[in-house]
Amino acid sequence: MRTQFTAELIALTNDLTLMCTLAHDAVERVTDALVDADLTATYEVFALDEQLQKMYGACEARTVVLLALQAPVARDLRHVVTAIQIAGELSRIGWLASRVADKVYQSHPGHAAEQPILDILAAMGKLAAERTSSAGRAVAGRHPLPEEETPADHSMETLHRQLHSALRDPASQPSTEVAIDNALLGHHLERCADHTARIDRLIRFLDTGVPPTAQPTDDE
């Protein structure tokens, strides 16, 4: 029974690692779609999101079976509970990337944003993709993200300020409707990075037993 449970946990971790790869690819390709107004990349993002949602459903079903039949306790229970939460965070990254892809699709053949706003959004997408890649390495190794990587969150805050400054700049200020759309694109990309930070805290919970809500934030 224990051997079967261990095998199920390994399979679950492998599924999460694959989900991390899909989420990273979705964020990376939606950034390409933004920069190049690329419909092919846009369609790829839709397909990646669909895969992520299917895998999330499969992971959810697997964890329910493990909880019902194995009745894990202590660290084993943390492992199962953490796995389904991480899967949920990854599914949301896919959903957010798909929402950005929607806007790229609607704006085609034009770009979803004009310069210099497009460059800022591209930088936000690149940073979100880097954070998703780091989350994937952490999930595969079942260890927290390195402390030295946390300043990336501050870089996202800097890009957030740059975006809102550009949206208010009289020299290039878009119409209210376009400004709202551009701000929403930035928000979606920011949220992708936020979900990777949540994954970081979940992995720390797995290793230490300290709940994510009790862990210090970067500002503390």
Side-chain angles (χ1 to χ4, degrees):
M1 185 69 73
R2 179 66 195 181
T3 300
Q4 179 184 354
F5 180 72
T6 300
E8 288 290 341
L9 287 182
I10 292 172
L12 188 56
T13 299
N14 290 339
D15 284 348
L16 290 177
T17 302
L18 177 55
M19 286 186 71
C20 286
T21 299
L22 294 173
H24 166 264
D25 290 351
V27 177
E28 187 173 62
R29 291 302 282 153
V30 84
T31 303
D32 293 339
L34 267 174
V35 171
D36 300 324
D38 186 345
L39 274 188
T40 298
T42 301
Y43 294 142
E44 289 177 15
V45 175
F46 293 146
L48 288 164
D49 178 43
E50 184 177 356
Q51 287 182 266
L52 274 167
Q53 304 316 319
K54 287 181 179 178
M55 289 201 70
Y56 173 57
C59 285
E60 189 174 40
R62 187 192 294 272
T63 56
V64 168
V65 171
L66 283 174
L67 290 171
L69 300 182
Q70 304 289 344
V73 296
R75 181 180 171 83
D76 288 341
L77 179 59
R78 290 208 309 272
H79 196 151
V80 176
V81 171
T82 299
I84 189 56
Q85 290 180 302
I86 290 175
E89 300 299 328
L90 293 168
S91 76
R92 294 183 187 100
I93 291 175
W95 183 88
L96 289 163
S98 184
R99 299 290 72 75
V100 176
D102 276 339
K103 190 58 187 176
V104 174
Y105 178 82
Q106 293 166 13
S107 302
H108 190 78
H111 283 82
E114 301 297 332
Q115 298 293 0
I117 293 169
L118 185 61
D119 281 344
I120 299 172
L121 292 173
M124 296 173 85
K126 181 180 178 182
L127 181 54
E130 290 171 356
R131 291 291 295 164
T132 308
S133 179
S134 295
R137 291 192 296 272
V139 168
R142 295 204 299 273
H143 58 77
L145 298 178
E147 292 289 347
E148 63 267 19
E149 291 194 37
T150 56
D153 291 333
H154 299 300
S155 297
M156 188 63 85
E157 292 174 6
T158 299
L159 291 169
H160 171 89
R161 290 192 293 270
Q162 291 177 359
L163 176 61
H164 282 261
S165 177
L167 291 173
R168 294 192 300 267
D169 185 358
S172 59
Q173 188 174 33
S175 68
T176 300
E177 181 179 356
V178 171
I180 292 173
D181 285 344
N182 290 172
L184 190 58
L185 289 173
H187 175 74
H188 289 336
L189 295 170
E190 282 185 86
R191 290 293 294 149
C192 288
D194 289 344
H195 285 301
T196 67
R198 169 72 175 171
I199 291 172
D200 178 12
R201 292 192 291 273
L202 286 168
I203 293 174
R204 293 183 190 281
F205 167 63
L206 174 60
D207 285 352
T208 66
V210 179
T213 54
Q215 296 175 22
T217 64
D218 294 334
D219 297 329
E220 295 177 333

